[in-house]
Amino acid sequence: MDIIASINESLASVGLFVRAGFHPGSDMPAPGLSDGRPAGTVLLVGNAGNALWQAFQASRPDMTARNPLNRWVASQLADAAAKVDAEVVDPMRPPYPPIQRWAMAAEGVHQSPLGLLIHPDYGLWHVYRGALLLADKVDLPPPQTGASPCDSCANKPCLNACPVDAFRPAFSPETCVEHVAGPSGGPCQARGCLARRACPVGRDWAYDLEPAAYHMAAVVETVQAGRHRGAAVWEPEG
Ligand code: B12
Ligand code: SF4
Ligand code: SF4
């Protein structure tokens, strides 16, 4: 079995899968391994739709613990990485790796007007949970090509669904969270971001209300604590 199939087999029951990969180089750098070897391959692992949340809930998590989903995902990724001698980069931990740039280089995703990457099948309902660094140069399927669904989306409903126009001229987390946590924020709290939900692409993959509300609450907590600004961003050495 090849290494991607082996990682997918380890992760299949928890709703995670190898999204795509790339070979780092000067045009798309990535961190090296902790023993000093350069990474020959970076594999992006993520989820789409509700499978991850369903597996997480089936694990009977302690929802009063801090960041229970992130911790559970981290332990799943660590187990899968250990089996193939890989190291995990957490996209949510500073210094933030440029995971969206890596994703655009690795698979057929595109920047949407919301800043989230859009996938031709999953729409806006997919996330990158970790990057696995491997010393070897692994054979990779060629990245999908194709135009962004946003190019042919005439009315761009995502840009007209936010009650406080938080995406114009550029996304303002403060404007967003002031609304979500305020007296009129109930719909965003319950359904997640209304702009994300307005997109017609990949509707079958849209998050159920429970995970949408969980992620929204995490955004509110992060922004209110001021942790969304000023964190270090990963830079290649030299
Ligand atoms: C900090 C952060 C936030 C902050 C917002 C920071 C901000 N000022 O916008 C907060 C907490 C508010 C937030 C919220 C959310 N986030 Co966020 N966030 C991040 C994080 C950890 C770092 C972003 C960063 O600083 N990047 C800087 C450098 C590292 O990135 P870069 O690739 O060099 O630069 C890219 C972006 O900055 C972007 N960009 C830069 N300038 C501009 C300008 C414009 C106009 C646009 C459109 C884009 C853009 O394009 C660059 C190339 O891709 C990333 C993970 C990561 N490591 O990137 C997730 C990430 C971007 N978030 C993600 C998600 C899903 C969300 C939420 C939907 C969470 C939820 N509820 O589920 C919300 C939605 C917010 C929104 N509408 O965009 C996903 C997006 C997945 C995808 N499909 O693309 C990411 C990639 C995390 C992941 N694990 O997959 N987030
Ligand atoms: S609503 Fe249209 S423009 Fe907005 S993200 Fe979806 S496809 Fe792209
Ligand atoms: S969560 Fe609500 S307030 Fe925030 S950007 Fe989305 S629609 Fe706007």
Side-chain angles (χ1 to χ4, degrees), residues 112-114 118 124 148-151 153 156-159 195 198-201:
S112 75
L114 304 185
I118 189 158
L124 303 174
S148 168
C150 302
D151 293 349
C153 179
K156 301 204 171 6
C158 60
L159 283 177
C199 176
V201 181

Side-chain angles (χ1 to χ4, degrees), residues 21-22 28 100-107 109 143:
F22 66 98
M28 193 52 68
Q100 292 185 309
R101 283 174 211 275
W102 290 351
M104 285 189 281
E107 65 172 331
V109 290

Side-chain angles (χ1 to χ4, degrees), residues 62-234:
D62 173 4
M63 295 303 285
T64 63
R66 186 157 174 74
N67 298 328
L69 177 63
N70 284 358
R71 288 154 62 126
W72 179 80
V73 167
S75 75
Q76 306 301 329
L77 288 175
D79 288 351
K83 287 183 195 158
V84 295
D85 200 18
E87 292 180 16
V88 185
V89 177
D90 182 346
M92 304 310 287
R93 185 175 290 230
Y96 294 141
I99 198 94
Q100 292 185 309
R101 283 174 211 275
W102 290 351
M104 285 189 281
E107 65 172 331
V109 290
H110 305 268
Q111 190 98 59
S112 75
L114 304 185
L116 302 172
L117 300 182
I118 189 158
H119 183 279
D121 300 323
Y122 311 137
L124 303 174
W125 301 101
H126 64 103
V127 168
Y128 300 91
R129 300 285 173 180
L132 301 191
L133 307 181
L134 293 151
D136 291 341
K137 203 164 178 178
V138 169
D139 282 343
L140 296 169
Q144 285 169 291
T145 51
S148 168
C150 302
D151 293 349
S152 53
C153 179
N155 297 325
K156 301 204 171 6
C158 60
L159 283 177
N160 298 311
C162 174
V164 287
D165 223 1
F167 293 98
R168 284 194 268 229
F171 179 58
S172 164
E174 292 80 10
T175 302
C176 162
V177 162
E178 197 177 323
H179 172 77
V180 177
S184 309
C188 297
Q189 284 174 28
R191 296 171 56 74
C193 178
L194 305 180
R196 193 184 193 187
R197 222 169 255 287
C199 176
V201 181
R203 282 225 165 111
D204 288 348
W205 297 87
Y207 286 179
D208 291 338
L209 295 189
E210 188 183 43
Y214 175 88
H215 291 299
M216 194 74 253
V219 169
V220 169
E221 201 266 328
T222 300
V223 172
Q224 287 183 333
R227 289 199 305 277
H228 62 303
R229 292 242 178 257
V233 171
W234 177 76

